[in-house]
Amino acid sequence: MLTPLQTGAARFSSYLLSRARKVLGSHLFSPCGVPEFCSISTRKLAAHGFGASMAAMVSFPPQRYHYFLVLDFEATCDKPQIHPQEIIEFPILKLNGRTMEIESTFHMYVQPVVHPQLTPFCTELTGIIQAMVDGQPSLQQVLERVDEWMAKEGLLDPNVKSIFVTCGDWDLKVMLPGQCQYLGLPVADYFKQWINLKKAYSFAMGCWPKNGLLDMNKGLSLQHIGRPHSGIDDCKNIANIMKTLAYRGFIFKQTSKPF
């Protein structure tokens, strides 16, 4: 049974949406084909006293998930490639599925154990120097902290729908399960389904981004954020691309196949 307070809140939300419809007219549920249109809509709502949260509700179509967990590993590497590769940067951005804004960040560096010394090629590619990984937690310890962060953020609640998002399938199809198998560590179930942003972008735009984030940013006329192959900066670019696609009416769906 709804309490009087809940009933009142529901009526107030309905009233706000009704007002928003009147402000934007027939454009309210039209696809946001370009970011400029959504910006105009947001400014129009603001001029009538609506806050940012209401503007976001109007600008974005409903997504299938409450949260998107944007992830991008960096790992030990060299030419020719070393084996096994080991994760050395583990960033996650918690993206609100309604507003597409970043709500929380998990970011840790990881101590490699098989090849503890980073190669010059790895440092040049990722920007990660030896001092950034020396003395850092092992992958097992970082995975434990990820689980603690997931619980703290309410992401383990069965009523909360969340999914990881990566630029490609490598991070969660190859890198994490491969290193966990090598170390004899279990892989949490929440790492076993994800959205490959390259596939999502190709569905939305009709072309495959051969050069990954660089092509996607270019195709959407977005400025690249930070340093290429920095895990945390790559996550910020992924989040920005997702937000732009959502503005255009794209609904994100799981692309990975069940394990």
Side-chain angles (χ1 to χ4, degrees):
M1 180 180 293
L2 291 176
T3 66
L5 181 61
Q6 290 172 316
T7 304
R11 287 174 178 169
F12 183 63
S13 296
S14 178
Y15 165 72
L16 286 178
L17 284 171
S18 177
R19 277 191 61 206
R21 289 190 184 96
K22 291 178 181 178
V23 171
L24 293 180
S26 62
H27 297 295
L28 180 61
F29 296 107
S30 298
C32 285
V34 291
E36 289 79 4
F37 171 81
C38 294
S39 178
I40 292 168
S41 300
T42 301
R43 290 199 300 270
K44 196 171 182 181
L45 285 169
H48 285 76
F50 290 95
S53 59
M54 175 55 69
M57 286 174 65
V58 173
S59 298
F60 293 105
Q63 295 289 337
R64 297 185 171 195
Y65 299 92
H66 297 109
Y67 296 100
F68 297 104
L69 305 177
V70 179
L71 176 150
D72 190 271
F73 296 138
E74 298 304 324
T76 53
C77 54
D78 202 2
K79 281 192 174 181
Q81 190 60 274
I82 57 176
H83 297 285
Q85 285 186 274
E86 299 171 85
I87 295 168
I88 54 175
E89 185 181 6
F90 203 129
I92 307 172
L93 299 181
K94 179 188 176 188
L95 204 64
N96 186 301
R98 178 176 287 272
T99 66
M100 303 303 283
E101 297 292 340
I102 298 168
E103 287 194 353
S104 182
T105 302
F106 177 92
H107 187 211
M108 293 189 71
Y109 290 99
V110 189
Q111 170 76 62
V113 294
V114 181
H115 302 285
Q117 195 70 28
L118 301 184
T119 64
F121 174 83
C122 182
T123 294
E124 182 179 353
L125 180 69
T126 65
I128 299 172
I129 62 174
Q130 192 65 41
M132 294 167 71
V133 297
D134 283 346
Q136 294 301 312
S138 65
L139 179 63
Q140 180 177 0
Q141 293 170 320
V142 171
L143 289 172
E144 290 170 356
R145 295 189 190 181
V146 168
D147 201 67
E148 291 169 0
W149 177 78
M150 296 274 287
K152 177 185 173 184
E153 295 295 327
L155 297 166
L156 301 184
D157 184 333
N159 296 316
V160 175
K161 290 189 68 178
S162 65
I163 190 168
F164 279 90
V165 183
T166 58
C167 184
D169 291 322
W170 174 83
D171 300 81
L172 293 178
K173 186 176 182 179
V174 177
M175 187 61 239
L176 183 64
Q179 188 175 356
C180 284
Q181 182 179 30
Y182 183 88
L183 296 173
L185 301 175
V187 178
D189 285 343
Y190 47 70
F191 286 126
K192 295 180 180 179
Q193 48 273 321
W194 64 89
I195 295 169
N196 177 344
L197 184 63
K198 292 180 182 179
K199 290 182 181 178
Y201 178 90
S202 69
F203 296 152
M205 303 296 287
C207 59
W208 183 260
K210 293 180 181 179
N211 296 311
L213 293 175
L214 295 177
D215 279 358
M216 288 186 274
N217 276 327
K218 184 178 180 180
L220 295 169
S221 300
L222 297 175
Q223 187 78 25
H224 192 88
I225 300 169
R227 185 189 196 284
H229 300 296
S230 158
I232 190 65
D233 287 346
D234 284 352
C235 284
K236 292 174 183 176
N237 281 285
I238 292 171
N240 200 31
I241 290 164
M242 291 185 69
K243 184 176 181 179
T244 303
L245 290 175
Y247 260 129
R248 298 185 177 204
F250 186 74
I251 306 296
F252 291 93
K253 303 174 185 177
Q254 178 179 332
T255 61
S256 65
K257 296 179 181 179
F259 272 51

